[in-house]
Amino acid sequence: MKRFHIALIAIIWLSANTLFAQITPSPNRAEGEGPFTQLIIRGVTLINGAGAPATGPVDVVVQGNRITQIKMVGSPGVPINPDKRPKANPGDKEIQAEGMYLLPGLIDSHAHIGGTSKDQSAEYIFKLWMAHGITSIRDPSAGNGLDWVLEHKEKSLKNQITAPRIFAYTAFGQGAKNGINTPEEAREWVRDNQKNGADGIKFFGASPDIMAAALDENKKIGLRSACHHAQLNVVGWNVLNSARAGLTSMEHWYGLPEALFEDRIIQHYPLDYNYQNEQNRFEEAGKLWKQAAKPGSEKWNAVMDELLSLDFTLDPTFNIYEASRDLMRARRAEWHENYTLPGLWEFYQPSMESHGSYWHYWGTEQEVAWKENFRIWMQFVNEYKNKGGRVTAGSDSGFIFQLYGFAFIRELELLREAGFHPLEVIRAATLMGAELLGQEKDLGSIEVGKLADMILVEENPLVNLKVLYGTGAIKLTKENEVVRVGGVKYTIKDGIVYDAKQLLADVKKMVDDEKVKRGNWTLKQPGEE
Ligand SMILES: [Zn+2]
């Protein structure tokens, strides 16, 4: 979703930081232990992120912020011979992790640091991410302004704040007073964006000559790019045009059905459609995949093969559209009560003005259409992965009832629903994300030489991805007792060990404090007194 207010959505050139007050910056880090001269994680079952099956017990050794040794130390269920294990020196940190699972830190490829509700702070968002094992994010639009984002990126890199690694992709045209109106202006803006220190660009679409110039220049200087192909410009420039011109990744899905049109040029808009009416926008979008070439058709295959040949990345962000197919599920998600800030909750509610609050009258017909939309879309994404294409996991949280961290885990479940094997899901959320960022030498898998970004979970996430939710998964014990299992136990970033459950408790306290400040605010459903 764009961070922009709905009334300004067409004016995509406006810089987001001129529209919104930046959210409260992150305080200095008070959490986490380490990095350690040597950290040894003992007896863990390893899921390496690169696609290897789970294996263990292994001992993983970290020196400072790098993984230096991964040693198989035995067989499941058999006592470990201590002679086989890496030796600890006095002062080393050891985590006894028998029965636990070790995964790479997760990478949220579409993660805005804040939306438009006023009570959010960077600390709230960063801790929700870190509590869910997210150790890297790609910020698509640098909505707090590039300087703000780069300052937090730097502080995160130095571990002065509790936050994931940040990769800043500036909204195209951000800061240009009169917009970008010529290819020359586009090239100049792109070069300035690099000089300003950005990692890449987030496009929302533009006229073909400007898109072509900007992507060409960006590629030349070696930066990366993402694009949400907004419907306003998609007729002249869809995903295929972008991929040919060197775009790194498409966000969401807009522009892909349009690339697959074979019996029309323009989406079948009702004649009284208005893009600024979001019920119109999202309702009609739910009929879009049906207007594209059929799965398995010549056109379907040709488009897919060309995107594959261009090494193009799909970042589908399924979860952010889930309310479209099941509004009640998204609205009543069990974490809202404790972890959603009042202002954020209010922002989600039906409104003509808030972006992503298109619930003017959202009923059975809209949900059924969207269920079908999801089925075709998921088929494309799964086939793309099966043919070797890169698919990443991105959440786009802060809109449409999707909460930071939690929504990312939901994205993993939706990749699973699309047909990904759980190992393929984890790979999308780790190594594929690192490749998208161009960071695969350092991030994305648990291998010797890589940075120590890892998470520990007490349950097997391959069996049930829900154990990664901060609220855990529900289980009945043999004693007929209902318990919650899972939730990330430790998030390790750059060799620093964070108690993930404490981070989540901090978030709950922020929410509780805000409720008190608002006179004991309680969460109400729309239309309730
Ligand atoms: Zn977005």
Side-chain angles (χ1 to χ4, degrees):
M1 294 297 108
K2 282 166 255 190
R3 290 192 79 246
F4 308 100
H5 190 277
I6 175 173
L8 293 159
I9 222 147
I11 314 168
I12 56 173
W13 308 114
L14 281 178
S15 131
N17 55 325
T18 61
L19 300 177
F20 295 102
Q22 293 158 350
I23 62 171
T24 315
S26 220
N28 284 343
R29 180 168 70 91
E31 302 81 15
E33 256 193 283
F36 302 93
T37 312
Q38 191 160 267
L39 160 70
I40 309 180
I41 300 162
R42 300 268 190 208
V44 78
T45 303
L46 178 67
I47 299 169
N48 78 352
T55 184
V58 298
D59 282 9
V60 175
V61 181
V62 173
Q63 291 176 339
N65 65 348
R66 293 268 171 193
I67 301 163
T68 55
Q69 196 183 350
I70 300 169
K71 188 152 196 286
M72 198 67 68
V73 292
S75 305
V78 180
I80 297 167
N81 176 355
D83 297 341
K84 284 189 169 177
R85 314 194 85 161
K87 292 276 170 294
N89 303 313
D92 283 359
K93 167 87 174 174
E94 293 176 83
I95 298 177
Q96 302 303 333
E98 286 83 8
M100 291 193 215
Y101 293 78
L102 186 71
L103 286 74
L106 305 174
I107 299 175
D108 190 334
S109 298
H110 194 117
H112 299 283
I113 309 170
T116 40
S117 83
K118 287 188 198 75
D119 50 2
Q120 296 183 73
S121 64
E123 184 184 9
Y124 170 74
I125 296 164
F126 290 155
K127 284 188 172 173
L128 277 168
W129 281 333
M130 292 284 283
H132 285 88
I134 296 163
T135 52
S136 294
I137 63 124
R138 186 175 61 153
D139 178 356
S141 68
N144 292 296
L146 185 60
D147 291 345
W148 189 102
V149 176
L150 290 178
E151 190 191 319
H152 282 75
K153 172 185 170 158
E154 186 65 19
K155 284 183 173 172
S156 171
L157 209 57
K158 293 178 179 160
N159 301 304
Q160 292 166 348
I161 56 175
T162 298
R165 299 173 194 277
I166 296 167
F167 295 88
Y169 284 49
T170 326
F172 181 57
Q174 190 179 100
K177 290 231 161 42
N178 298 314
I180 307 283
N181 299 301
T182 65
E184 291 68 36
E185 284 175 11
R187 287 182 189 276
E188 198 186 328
W189 185 92
V190 168
R191 286 192 297 268
D192 285 347
N193 185 49
Q194 183 188 39
K195 278 185 215 135
N196 293 339
D199 297 295
I201 305 174
K202 163 75 179 295
F203 293 94
F204 294 99
S207 65
D209 56 338
I210 288 174
M211 285 298 292
L215 283 167
D216 178 62
E217 194 67 28
N218 196 53
K219 209 177 170 188
K220 245 185 241 167
I221 61 176
L223 258 54
R224 287 167 186 250
S225 52
C227 183
H228 167 166
H229 295 79
Q231 281 139 315
L232 294 171
N233 287 295
V234 81
V235 176
W237 189 272
N238 63 40
V239 163
L240 258 186
N241 302 100
S242 278
R244 288 170 186 155
L247 182 75
T248 313
S249 71
M250 63 172 290
E251 305 305 298
H252 320 306
W253 56 285
Y254 303 107
L256 183 52
E258 289 89 342
L260 288 159
F261 281 169
E262 53 186 355
D263 59 355
R264 73 199 67 210
I265 305 293
I266 296 177
Q267 179 185 340
H268 189 77
Y269 296 112
L271 302 183
D272 59 351
Y273 175 102
N274 183 334
Y275 184 73
Q276 284 298 89
N277 175 329
E278 289 205 355
Q279 167 104 17
N280 275 176
R281 190 193 304 177
F282 284 89
E283 181 171 347
E284 294 308 317
K287 303 169 189 168
L288 196 43
W289 274 99
K290 270 202 131 156
Q291 296 167 39
K294 296 271 167 293
S297 65
E298 212 173 298
K299 177 88 175 180
W300 170 281
N301 291 331
V303 169
M304 189 176 298
D305 290 344
E306 186 169 355
L307 294 177
L308 285 163
S309 73
L310 293 164
D311 194 27
F312 193 59
T313 300
L314 309 187
D315 187 34
T317 69
F318 289 123
N319 75 94
I320 198 67
Y321 300 94
E322 189 167 37
S324 302
R325 72 170 191 179
D326 193 349
L327 177 54
M328 194 195 290
R329 180 198 171 97
R331 195 162 52 74
R332 306 292 311 224
E334 63 184 5
W335 38 83
H336 287 313
E337 266 80 3
N338 285 332
Y339 301 106
T340 298
L341 281 166
L344 191 53
W345 180 253
E346 285 162 4
F347 173 70
Y348 291 150
Q349 302 313 315
S351 163
M352 301 278 181
E353 292 182 320
S354 305
H355 179 44
S357 299
Y358 44 97
W359 326 112
H360 306 195
Y361 197 47
W362 199 263
T364 311
E365 292 305 309
Q366 289 75 14
E367 290 193 355
V368 168
W370 263 97
K371 282 175 187 178
E372 181 63 9
N373 213 42
F374 262 92
R375 273 191 283 271
I376 309 171
W377 175 23
M378 283 179 159
Q379 187 175 344
F380 190 96
V381 173
N382 190 44
E383 270 185 39
Y384 194 77
K385 174 265 299 170
N386 287 344
K387 290 185 168 184
R390 188 181 304 101
V391 177
T392 50
S395 72
D396 205 8
S397 302
F399 301 92
I400 320 185
F401 296 107
Q402 297 300 335
L403 185 59
Y404 310 94
F406 289 95
F408 184 79
I409 307 308
R410 185 62 190 150
E411 184 67 15
L412 304 190
E413 289 199 278
L414 291 168
L415 287 164
R416 178 71 192 88
E417 182 182 327
F420 286 48
H421 184 286
L423 284 167
E424 294 173 336
V425 172
I426 299 299
R427 187 168 173 266
T430 55
L431 187 58
M432 294 299 96
E435 284 188 12
L436 171 68
L437 295 165
Q439 299 294 318
E440 67 275 15
K441 281 207 177 79
D442 283 325
L443 304 174
S445 61
I446 298 178
E447 292 176 76
V448 170
K450 286 203 178 184
L451 289 169
D453 284 11
M454 303 183 280
I455 63 177
L456 276 161
V457 200
E458 288 170 310
E459 299 287 321
N460 185 349
L462 302 176
V463 170
N464 182 10
L465 290 163
K466 291 185 201 297
V467 303
L468 295 170
Y469 284 120
T471 42
I474 298 163
K475 199 174 191 176
L476 193 63
T477 66
K478 288 192 184 89
E479 292 73 38
N480 201 28
E481 213 185 317
V482 181
V483 293
R484 291 270 175 168
V485 296
V488 173
K489 190 169 175 62
Y490 297 114
T491 298
I492 303 169
K493 178 202 158 210
D494 225 21
I496 298 172
V497 181
Y498 294 85
D499 178 340
K501 300 198 176 188
Q502 184 55 50
L503 295 178
L504 202 60
D506 292 353
V507 169
K508 182 170 184 302
K509 181 160 190 317
M510 285 180 232
V511 174
D512 288 344
D513 289 350
E514 184 64 24
K515 287 176 179 171
V516 170
K517 223 169 88 186
R518 288 185 177 223
N520 294 322
W521 185 94
T522 54
L523 188 151
K524 290 195 178 60
Q525 296 296 335
E528 282 179 6
E529 282 308 307

